[in-house]
Amino acid sequence: MLSYIFQRVLWAIPTLILISILTFIIIQLPPGDYLTAYVAQLSETGETVDEATIEILRERFGLNKPLYEQYWTWISDIIFRGDFGQSLDWNVPVADLIWQRVGLTILISFLSMIFTWLIAIPIGVYSATHQYTVFDYIFTVLGFVGRGIPNFLLALVLMWLAFAYLGINVGGLFSPEYTNAPWSFRKFLDLLAHLWVPVIVLGTGGAAGLIRIVRANMLDEIYKPYVETARAQGTAERRVIWKYPVRVALNPFISTVGWALPSLISGSIITAVVLNLPTTGPLLLRALLNQDMFLAGSFILILSVFTLVGTLISDLLLVWVDPRIRFS
């Protein structure tokens, strides 16, 4: 097992290097650079910037250097000094911008993931063990509806219902008076009052899809010989279901840890924009639109690291949960 982990870590190093190079190149593919986008924005407001000032700014940000020099400056600072560079758009260190929003992003994404699992696992198991019953059909319809409704549309509906019938504005994570206030018990309660909307919105789509996966996996397992053998030995039906086939049916949940871990950081960008959430998603979107290469590149690099770590964790958990899987 240790040799397996060591091999995976060794393979992760060149993978990350390749990802960082491709990321930096792709971010630079659109014509122009950050200053081009900045000057275009100023032109829309009627302001102008002379060429001399543009050249000074280009030299200050290092945009006049060849692409490979810009990349090496950025990646070497990360590796040797832990410095992710300066955001061109915000004019502050990238690390400060990212870590300011990471905490709330992780909280929302983690609660959404737990909400998804708490709904998907029991309903999926029930639908499989009560196939073609009324509730199975009801859950199937609700699953298709939940899968078909875009998250941002569900967010708009919940925001309208909360405002129309509860008289509260659930946009954002805090009321205006608590947005910039220091943390207190009242601010925590205000966060809880707003938190349920993004958790439900982000969790509904994922739960709808996983319900179908759990149901299908359970139907493949509950009629296999090892389950019938457990029944023949007099084991209680509830124990037979939850100890044996459910463990196998949970494989999709464990195998998606590689996706779930980076989503704890990135969040859902469109839903975050609609709900005005102070998470990392809208920040990444703005960085890409404004060609803020250091901020966007650092985001994607961090997400790549989390994806590789999550994939390794999911592989190890699969071996632990499903005895049929072994290290090769």
Side-chain angles (χ1 to χ4, degrees):
M1 179 176 177
L2 291 178
S3 61
Y4 173 80
I5 296 175
F6 183 70
Q7 291 177 7
R8 292 291 297 270
V9 172
L10 285 181
W11 275 108
I13 295 174
T15 303
L16 285 175
I17 294 175
L18 181 60
I19 289 174
S20 66
I21 294 173
L22 292 176
T23 297
F24 206 79
I25 293 175
I26 292 172
I27 292 173
Q28 298 281 5
L29 284 180
D33 50 30
Y34 167 73
L35 287 180
T36 305
Y38 178 68
V39 171
Q41 291 177 359
L42 290 180
S43 300
E44 293 177 358
T45 62
E47 300 182 36
T48 57
V49 181
D50 60 273
E51 289 296 329
T53 303
I54 293 176
E55 288 302 319
I56 292 173
L57 291 174
R58 194 178 302 278
E59 183 176 356
R60 173 188 170 189
F61 293 137
L63 300 177
N64 59 336
K65 298 179 181 179
L67 182 60
Y68 66 89
E69 287 190 21
Q70 296 181 41
Y71 167 77
W72 174 248
T73 301
W74 171 65
I75 199 66
S76 61
D77 285 344
I78 293 176
I79 295 174
F80 299 114
R81 290 191 288 272
D83 181 8
F84 288 88
Q86 189 87 353
S87 169
L88 306 179
D89 190 21
W90 297 83
N91 198 27
V92 296
V94 168
D96 293 347
L97 282 175
I98 293 178
W99 304 128
Q100 282 176 0
R101 301 186 176 216
V102 161
L104 291 174
T105 306
I106 291 177
L107 175 64
I108 294 173
S109 301
F110 179 75
L111 292 178
S112 301
M113 185 171 62
I114 297 300
F115 176 78
T116 298
W117 290 6
L118 289 177
I119 291 178
I121 294 175
I123 292 179
V125 172
Y126 181 88
S127 294
T129 54
H130 297 76
Q131 190 180 17
Y132 303 135
T133 61
V134 174
F135 284 105
D136 181 29
Y137 287 121
I138 292 175
F139 290 139
T140 299
V141 172
L142 292 178
F144 284 128
V145 172
R147 192 65 176 170
I149 297 178
N151 284 347
F152 68 87
L153 180 59
L154 181 60
L156 292 173
V157 171
L158 288 179
M159 290 174 67
W160 176 77
L161 290 175
F163 183 79
Y165 295 99
L166 301 179
I168 58 175
N169 181 11
V170 292
L173 288 180
F174 302 100
S175 301
E177 61 270 22
Y178 292 109
T179 301
N180 298 317
W183 279 100
S184 63
F185 183 67
R186 288 183 177 274
K187 183 173 182 177
F188 176 72
L189 293 179
D190 185 68
L191 172 64
L192 294 181
H194 291 76
L195 196 59
W196 63 275
V197 173
V199 169
I200 292 177
V201 169
L202 295 175
T204 300
L210 286 175
I211 286 173
R212 308 305 303 162
I213 294 174
V214 173
R215 181 181 183 275
N217 284 0
M218 284 291 296
L219 289 174
D220 286 340
E221 295 296 324
I222 57 178
Y223 300 111
K224 287 187 176 180
Y226 73 91
V227 179
E228 298 296 338
T229 301
R231 288 196 180 101
Q233 291 175 343
T235 307
E237 182 67 16
R238 181 184 296 272
R239 181 174 174 82
V240 168
I241 295 299
W242 286 95
K243 184 178 180 180
Y244 300 108
V246 169
R247 288 181 62 181
V248 179
L250 292 183
N251 283 358
F253 291 83
I254 299 172
S255 62
T256 56
V257 170
W259 309 334
L261 199 56
S263 71
L264 292 179
I265 302 298
S266 64
S268 179
I269 296 178
I270 298 178
T271 305
V273 172
V274 171
L275 290 173
N276 191 30
L277 301 178
T279 55
T280 55
L283 192 64
L284 173 59
L285 178 61
R286 176 170 171 172
L288 292 172
L289 292 175
N290 293 336
Q291 294 182 260
D292 192 347
M293 56 184 184
F294 297 128
L295 180 57
S298 298
F299 257 122
I300 297 174
L301 185 62
I302 291 173
L303 294 180
S304 302
V305 172
F306 272 78
T307 302
L308 292 174
V309 173
T311 303
L312 176 60
I313 293 175
S314 66
D315 289 344
L316 297 177
L317 289 177
L318 280 173
V319 174
W320 176 60
V321 171
D322 193 341
R324 299 173 303 175
I325 302 174
R326 289 290 180 265
F327 295 116
S328 58

